[in-house]
Amino acid sequence: LEEGKKMLNEHIEKKRTHLAAMVCFHLSYTAYIFCNYDFARNMVEMRWKLEKNRYRKVGIFGAVHFFDGLISIVSAQQTKEDKWINHALECVNKTKASTNVNPQRVLLLETEIDVLMGKTKDAIEGYNKAINTASENKYINEQAIANERAGDFCL
């Protein structure tokens, strides 16, 4: 993360806002994967500021909405702030709209939202669907994330 922060600061200093926003995204999902949720949340907020007045935003084939959704869900659980719940719901809708070849993302985000809202009755089934769909679609990285989220739910 330290090298990434250096790169981010360099892009910000040179007013390369799109590149800085891309670095923020990569740092946010890396931090999420390593359970550094505060840093992930800070990078999401920084990317929002960098992209605020930009027409072109970081997209990366729907991955931004997916990871922003996951980070927002964890942030909502930790901070109880409405802005994170609202952003998580927005990310689910954007992921649904942009992901016809990545249904495991929608399944995982929907399950995580249900758990966030206290609807845990069908959570294991939802996690299993996300895990199996990711496996079928050969997204082993997203299968791993779904497995980890399911494991955390069971603890």
Side-chain angles (χ1 to χ4, degrees):
L1 292 178
E2 289 305 315
E3 282 297 313
K5 285 194 252 184
K6 287 178 189 174
M7 187 184 309
L8 173 61
N9 289 330
E10 181 182 316
H11 288 312
I12 289 172
E13 287 172 17
K14 294 184 178 180
K15 301 196 184 319
R16 298 184 204 141
T17 55
H18 186 70
L19 291 173
M22 288 181 71
V23 171
C24 284
F25 167 66
H26 289 288
L27 290 174
S28 70
Y29 82 73
T30 301
Y32 174 83
I33 289 170
F34 289 101
C35 303
N36 189 342
Y37 301 128
D38 291 335
F39 187 75
R41 180 172 45 251
N42 291 338
M43 288 296 99
V44 168
E45 288 181 317
M46 183 177 286
R47 196 185 80 247
W48 289 349
K49 289 176 187 169
L50 289 165
E51 292 181 331
K52 185 175 182 176
N53 296 317
R54 292 190 56 84
Y55 172 75
R56 188 171 141 210
K57 306 212 184 313
V58 177
I60 310 177
F61 306 105
V64 171
H65 302 308
F66 176 60
F67 279 102
D68 268 18
L70 293 173
I71 293 165
S72 295
I73 290 164
V74 169
S75 297
Q77 291 168 334
Q78 292 179 342
T79 69
K80 309 293 187 228
E81 293 177 17
D82 286 342
K83 76 175 182 178
W84 293 111
I85 295 169
N86 294 335
H87 188 66
L89 294 169
E90 182 182 317
C91 288
V92 171
N93 290 332
K94 287 181 177 179
T95 300
K96 284 180 182 178
S98 68
T99 311
N100 55 9
V101 293
N102 296 308
Q104 68 278 353
R105 292 177 177 174
V106 173
L107 290 166
L108 181 56
L109 286 173
E110 287 179 334
T111 301
E112 289 281 275
I113 290 287
D114 285 347
V115 169
L116 176 66
M117 301 300 186
K119 301 176 192 171
T120 59
K121 180 182 169 209
D122 298 320
I124 294 299
E125 182 181 337
Y127 286 120
N128 283 335
K129 284 181 182 178
I131 291 163
N132 292 334
T133 303
S135 176
E136 291 166 8
N137 291 331
K138 310 285 189 252
Y139 282 87
I140 58 170
N141 55 328
E142 293 175 14
Q143 180 184 7
I145 292 168
N147 271 301
E148 185 172 322
R149 298 306 307 145
D152 286 349
F153 172 76
C154 290
L155 291 178

